[in-house]
Amino acid sequence: MLKFHLKNLWVYPHARIEGIGPEAGRLRRAPLAAIVIIGLLFALCTYLYGLGSAHILRNGDELVYMQITRVTGTANQWLPLQSDMPDMRNTKPPLLFWQGLLSTDWGAHWSLWALRWPSVMWTFGTALLCGLLGWRLSGRDLFKGALAALFYLAFFTTYRYGRPYLTNPPETFWVFACFFTLLWWRPRSFDSRFVFPTILGVLAGMALLTKSFAQLLPIVAGLAGWHLHVRGWRVGAFLRGSLPGILWTGLLSLAIFSLWFVLDPEPAAIWREFVMGENVGKMGQGGIANWFKEFLWGGDSVWSLGGSWFSNAGLLAFPLLGMMIVSWKRRHTLSDGERLLWIWVFALFLVFSIPSERSGRYLLEGMPALAVLMAMRCRDVGRFAYVLSLSVAMAVLLSTGWVSFLLAREVGVQAFPWWHWPLVVTGAAFAAAAIARPRWTVMGSATAVLSVFLSLAGFLSVFDKPLGVFNSVVAAATAGRVVWVPENFRSVAEQYRFLLPRAVVRGYPAALKMPHADIRGPDDFVVTRRPLDAPAPESAIGSRIHLTSRHTARQIWEMATGSVQKHLFAREWVVAPPGSLPMR
């Protein structure tokens, strides 16, 4: 009996709105409508806040792309792409860099905000497609449509990769737009021999021109799977009725991608650096035997890739698992739209199981489909899955509040945004209310997760101003001078161009502690990194608090057991050239 009860909690419906009278139904729906509206507005604030911060959740590749954009803009030409690192010029197709050139007016308004705000627009564009598709497939249910958009925005990797200056936001939009178009206008889209294959070719071509020609493989695999399903898995009917259109879509998208070779004055460099270095090199390393070994074991195994669906979902991993269980149990009664979305998810996973480098980022294009599927089955997944997400969100909010309190004792409450403390308290209270009120649980889960993201951004904003920046004395002293800064990843020096905008910034390996004397000029400044409680070096003129990154497994364990300050924080000092007077 107890076992059956727990099963109901996990995979069977909670209390529903259906079955109550019209007047009562409207009264019961009113709080849900308010939660939906609040959630969407809250998502907008969450994604826009802190775009100009150096401490948002991001990926190190962002700095590489910023450098390519800046140097290309300095050259005052669209192509060829330029970089301070000769081997990193053609790391990605030009569409992302052209976007950065336009959003910054060719570097005239060079800022993190200007580079990043288009990413948020792409992300909200994808969320809009999720909402529309959820609304359409659920029989025009506005709540499920809004929930699909909120689920997508509340996924951890959507927030992490959907805001920085990366290829993921536009790439995900264009790829999902292909399948949205085919599903929205079915059956006409599946029967079309030219018009829709052409539209899909243009959409896929934009995806390729954003990320890579290799992106065509999962797109074609997904389209083929959809057409086979629609034609009852009859190979002959697929070959006659669908294959020509899919081939035309693939050829057109490759033609659009090939414009890069046609327009670039150095096509050989694109072939060498991008095709052979960035793409073919990832297909297999070490031979067939090593490929099979890595396929089954290690950090890049197929099992690790499968787990990425849940790590991508973040705090919504529990409802995602519940939806998967429900979908499997009811696989014979799934709607046709659900079956098609699952085919796309499986096709994406199978294709990206092939390369020897298997990253969860490769599955980001499948997260919009999973958001729609979660919204479609939201009433079939038991409350227990959502209560787990809400409980973890509440725990994270309370932990953030406690760490913020400890930091405020050191730096002062005024260092935090005025809304940070009310948000932590209100977010935790809202999560508790959503647990207590069954009809709020599903809708409230996404909003509670978004409050976690915003509270974390509020905490990290302390390390922008005043703690995380150099003062005006340092900015004036380094204007027009060479400043050497530590790098523990390629192009990390790029972020110091925002901290010292008038300096000539150059990087040196962080492990050296100081740049070699043979490359450092006699009048050059140096940024050196020391423990938080270490004394100031000789001739230091200013400092800032630095949040460290790329920790070892041992450091992570020590932080988890209490040594947070030792490994998470450091102080960076700007040291004046030897013989100059320190300006304290």
Side-chain angles (χ1 to χ4, degrees):
M1 187 68 179
L2 178 61
K3 181 179 179 181
F4 179 76
H5 180 64
L6 291 176
K7 182 180 179 182
N8 283 348
L9 281 175
W10 185 262
V11 299
Y12 286 113
H14 50 74
R16 299 190 184 188
I17 293 176
E18 292 82 6
I20 57 179
E23 291 299 327
R26 282 193 288 270
L27 290 175
R28 301 291 287 272
R29 284 179 179 269
L32 294 181
I35 292 177
V36 169
I37 295 172
I38 292 173
L40 292 173
L41 292 176
F42 198 71
L44 181 64
C45 296
T46 299
Y47 272 76
L48 289 179
Y49 176 76
L51 276 186
S53 170
H55 298 101
I56 70 170
L57 295 177
R58 61 180 183 178
N59 182 272
D61 290 339
E62 181 186 39
L63 297 171
V64 178
Y65 302 153
M66 286 179 179
Q67 184 195 98
I68 295 173
T69 304
R70 176 182 58 80
V71 180
T72 302
T74 303
N76 201 30
Q77 56 186 12
W78 297 100
L79 289 171
L81 300 175
Q82 303 290 335
S83 173
D84 290 337
M85 298 179 292
D87 59 336
M88 293 299 297
R89 291 187 308 158
N90 295 303
T91 183
K92 287 294 181 289
L95 212 57
L96 176 71
F97 310 113
W98 292 348
Q99 170 189 299
L101 291 174
L102 293 175
S103 67
T104 62
D105 191 17
W106 288 81
H109 305 289
W110 189 254
S111 68
L112 292 171
W113 172 274
L115 287 164
R116 289 170 175 165
W117 71 258
S119 295
V120 176
M121 297 301 102
W122 289 117
T123 298
F124 269 87
T126 305
L128 176 62
L129 297 183
C130 290
L132 290 173
L133 199 56
W135 170 77
R136 182 72 170 266
L137 296 181
S138 62
R140 303 194 174 189
D141 187 325
L142 288 174
F143 288 100
K144 288 188 177 180
L147 191 59
L150 280 174
F151 275 154
Y152 177 69
L153 294 172
F155 286 152
F156 173 72
T157 47
T158 304
Y159 182 73
R160 179 182 178 183
Y161 297 113
R163 301 172 72 225
Y165 183 56
L166 297 169
T167 59
N168 300 110
E171 168 201 4
T172 302
F173 174 84
W174 290 116
V175 171
F176 190 59
C178 293
F179 296 92
F180 171 88
T181 301
L182 197 59
L183 191 52
W184 185 271
W185 278 280
R186 63 172 182 160
R188 184 158 49 108
S189 57
F190 283 94
D191 296 332
S192 175
R193 298 293 186 93
F194 180 75
V195 175
F196 276 92
T198 300
I199 295 174
L200 296 179
V202 173
L203 296 174
M206 297 300 290
L208 269 57
L209 206 54
T210 300
K211 182 65 175 289
S212 170
F213 64 90
Q215 199 64 42
L216 181 61
L217 188 57
I219 293 175
V220 168
L223 294 178
W226 280 27
H227 278 272
L228 278 168
H229 172 77
V230 168
R231 299 188 182 279
W233 300 94
R234 298 190 304 272
V235 177
F238 168 78
L239 294 176
R240 292 190 301 272
S242 299
L243 186 59
I246 294 176
L247 291 176
W248 168 240
T249 295
L251 290 173
L252 180 58
S253 63
L254 284 176
I256 293 175
F257 174 80
S258 299
L259 291 175
W260 184 16
F261 288 83
V262 175
L263 299 176
D264 198 297
E266 301 178 11
I270 300 175
W271 179 267
R272 181 179 64 256
E273 298 170 13
F274 181 75
V275 177
M276 301 304 297
E278 186 72 14
N279 290 269
V280 177
K282 293 182 179 180
M283 292 303 295
Q285 299 174 356
I288 298 296
N290 189 62
W291 183 90
F292 274 108
K293 180 181 177 181
E294 292 183 350
F295 182 82
L296 296 173
W297 307 103
D300 287 337
S301 68
V302 67
W303 318 115
S304 175
L305 184 66
S308 296
W309 292 118
F310 303 103
S311 60
N312 287 349
L315 296 182
L316 292 179
F318 304 109
L320 174 60
L321 177 60
M323 183 273 294
M324 289 181 172
I325 295 174
V326 168
S327 297
W328 174 254
K329 288 180 176 292
R330 303 185 180 185
R331 59 190 180 277
H332 300 299
T333 60
L334 294 178
S335 68
D336 202 50
E338 289 177 291
R339 293 176 186 272
L340 290 172
L341 290 176
W342 275 119
I343 290 172
W344 163 235
V345 170
F346 285 135
L348 189 70
F349 179 79
L350 291 174
V351 167
F352 284 116
S353 298
I354 299 174
S356 57
E357 181 181 327
R358 302 175 186 90
S359 169
R361 286 181 67 184
Y362 297 158
L363 304 181
L364 294 183
E365 291 84 355
M367 299 309 293
L370 290 178
V372 175
L373 288 167
M374 287 175 62
M376 294 283 289
R377 291 289 168 176
C378 66
R379 294 190 177 100
D380 297 327
V381 176
R383 288 189 66 241
F384 186 58
Y386 297 99
V387 167
L388 280 177
S389 291
L390 287 164
S391 300
V392 176
M394 186 165 53
V396 174
L397 284 166
L398 293 175
S399 299
T400 302
W402 175 248
V403 175
S404 299
F405 171 73
L406 295 178
L407 183 61
R409 294 171 58 183
E410 301 293 331
V411 302
V413 177
Q414 68 279 2
F416 289 85
W418 66 267
W419 48 261
H420 177 69
W421 307 101
L423 173 66
V424 171
V425 175
T426 305
F430 176 80
I435 293 174
R437 297 292 300 272
R439 294 184 182 275
W440 292 16
T441 303
V442 175
M443 282 292 181
S445 60
T447 304
V449 172
L450 289 170
S451 70
V452 171
F453 296 158
L454 188 54
S455 66
L456 179 60
F459 172 76
L460 293 176
S461 68
V462 176
F463 302 99
D464 287 323
K465 289 183 179 181
L467 299 182
V469 298
F470 296 113
N471 59 30
S472 58
V473 173
V474 174
T478 58
R481 307 285 289 274
V482 173
V483 180
W484 292 90
V485 299
E487 289 186 309
N488 60 351
F489 188 71
R490 59 192 181 192
S491 295
V492 166
E494 199 66 28
Q495 65 184 351
Y496 290 85
R497 299 183 188 278
F498 300 101
L499 296 169
L500 301 169
R502 293 184 292 168
V504 181
V505 177
R506 296 176 182 172
Y508 70 90
L512 298 179
K513 307 301 182 183
M514 292 286 284
H516 286 301
D518 56 344
I519 64 171
R520 176 185 173 187
D523 297 325
D524 294 352
F525 287 76
V526 175
V527 174
T528 182
R529 192 173 297 162
R530 293 192 173 190
L532 201 59
D533 54 357
E538 186 179 356
S539 301
I541 63 172
S543 68
R544 74 179 190 102
I545 300 296
H546 172 71
L547 278 177
T548 60
S549 60
R550 310 186 74 81
H551 300 98
T552 64
R554 180 177 180 179
Q555 290 173 331
I556 293 174
W557 170 254
E558 290 181 358
M559 284 192 290
T561 54
S563 301
V564 177
Q565 179 173 311
K566 176 182 177 182
H567 296 298
L568 187 59
F569 304 115
R571 184 175 293 276
E572 290 188 339
W573 295 92
V574 179
V575 180
S580 64
L581 292 176
M583 301 171 61
R584 296 187 184 274

